[in-house]
Amino acid sequence: MALETDDFLDIDDVTPAELDALLSRAAAMKAGTDDPRLTDATLGMIFEKPSTRTRVSFETGMTRLGGHAMFLGPDDIQLGHGEPLRDTGRVLGRYVDVVMARLFDHADAETLAEYADCPVINGLTDDAHPCQTLADLLTIRETVGEDAHVAWIGDGNNVGQSFVVGAAMAGIDVSVATPAEYGMDPSVFERAAAFGVEIEPTTDPEAAIEGADIIYTDVWVSMGQEDQRAEKLSAFEGFQVNRELLSGTDAKVMHCLPAHRGEEITDDVMESDRVLVWDQAENRMHAQNALLVELLGDT
């Protein structure tokens, strides 16, 4: 099944049916029952922000598929050094088969997609992280099942926003608890409602986790927000995922990493058998491999 979209900038760029097929293909590729090839294909990876999982999962994934991945950091290309982003997109589109971009401004990803004559994948922007959502949904499917209730606890950030919409597309029940001043964009809940999932966000973590099969959290101070650290740590008091919050529940715990242990999650929880964190990290590669194959076609 080829995707109708040429680019993957947010999770709802695909349809629910396409999302389901992507996850099924990712599971089959992980199990070794589907072995597509992207022989000699080249992935250009633009990194405005550093990363462990995004770089290694995409680079290793392309190698396993028979292709090649090229790291393009701020010091490697003209990104941010006077060349308009649209020119970078035009040029890369004539060299590589697909671009993955990890950027700050979501509008920059949209510009790349507009001018690059090849598929563009959002590897993370300040608004969205759809590749992480693919991995999260694959993890939920293979561990708890899609008849699940997931509670998002903490910052209403890019990871959370993509996850809420993706979970709605997959028919997963979601609750959201954030400090009032650090909630998700209201449009996120409107997009979820378009898939039949009504979400009433709360500022009470205890209420949000009631009946939850999975509790999902992420860092409170994201990359580029270091100047807000003291302010945010104060605002998020009571939102830490710790033994006290988990008491009385059998919920599993998810985190997209890196984790700031002692802030949004405690070390003992991260080291417990509650976490699905390492499955999420591994599934980045499998989910992205399925996405690459669907965007480019099996060669």
Side-chain angles (χ1 to χ4, degrees), residues 46 79 83-96 99 111-118 120:
I46 298 177
L79 189 70
E83 180 175 84
L85 193 59
R86 59 184 181 272
D87 290 0
T88 300
R90 286 172 170 134
V91 170
L92 286 179
R94 298 197 176 205
Y95 290 142
V96 305
V99 170
T111 298
L112 273 175
E114 180 180 357
Y115 288 96
D117 190 21
C118 69
V120 173

Side-chain angles (χ1 to χ4, degrees), residues 102-264:
R102 184 176 173 88
L103 307 168
F104 284 97
D105 193 340
H106 192 80
D108 286 345
E110 294 173 333
T111 298
L112 273 175
E114 180 180 357
Y115 288 96
D117 190 21
C118 69
V120 173
I121 296 170
N122 177 6
L124 177 142
T125 63
D126 284 349
D127 290 348
H129 198 352
C131 290
Q132 181 64 52
T133 298
L134 289 179
D136 295 338
L137 296 177
L138 179 59
T139 303
I140 293 169
R141 175 181 285 200
E142 67 187 12
T143 55
V144 178
E146 290 184 340
D147 184 20
H149 173 194
V150 182
W152 177 271
I153 306 297
D155 194 18
N157 64 11
N158 48 3
V159 175
Q161 293 190 150
S162 288
F163 178 76
V164 164
V165 177
M169 294 173 68
I172 294 171
D173 184 33
V174 181
S175 54
V176 174
T178 67
E181 61 271 40
Y182 294 105
M184 297 181 184
D185 191 292
S187 66
V188 170
F189 303 116
E190 294 171 7
R191 289 158 63 196
F195 298 105
V197 177
E198 298 289 340
I199 300 170
E200 291 292 337
T202 179
T203 57
D204 184 356
E206 294 279 357
I209 68 169
E210 186 174 346
D213 301 295
I214 296 172
I215 296 171
Y216 196 167
T217 192
D218 192 15
V219 295
W220 297 336
V221 184
S222 298
M223 200 177 305
Q225 298 179 343
E226 289 78 10
D227 59 336
Q228 304 173 37
R229 182 176 185 80
E231 174 188 335
K232 295 195 81 171
L233 290 184
S234 174
F236 282 90
E237 185 176 349
F239 283 83
Q240 185 184 69
V241 176
N242 52 32
R243 291 288 186 181
E244 181 180 358
L245 184 69
L246 293 175
S247 64
T249 174
D250 295 324
K252 298 293 186 181
V253 175
M254 293 173 61
H255 193 304
C256 73
L257 299 177
H260 293 172
R261 301 183 186 215
E263 292 183 9
E264 77 279 356

Side-chain angles (χ1 to χ4, degrees), residues 55-90:
R55 179 176 181 178
V56 177
S57 61
F58 268 108
E59 193 162 335
T60 302
M62 279 299 287
T63 299
R64 291 191 177 191
L65 290 169
H68 170 67
M70 183 185 308
F71 177 85
L72 304 169
D75 296 327
D76 300 311
I77 57 175
Q78 296 300 315
L79 189 70
H81 298 290
E83 180 175 84
L85 193 59
R86 59 184 181 272
D87 290 0
T88 300
R90 286 172 170 134

Side-chain angles (χ1 to χ4, degrees), residues 21-31 34 138 283 286-288 290:
L22 266 172
L23 297 176
S24 295
R25 180 155 212 175
M29 292 172 70
K30 181 177 180 179
D34 185 14
L138 179 59
N283 283 338
H286 302 301
Q288 290 161 187

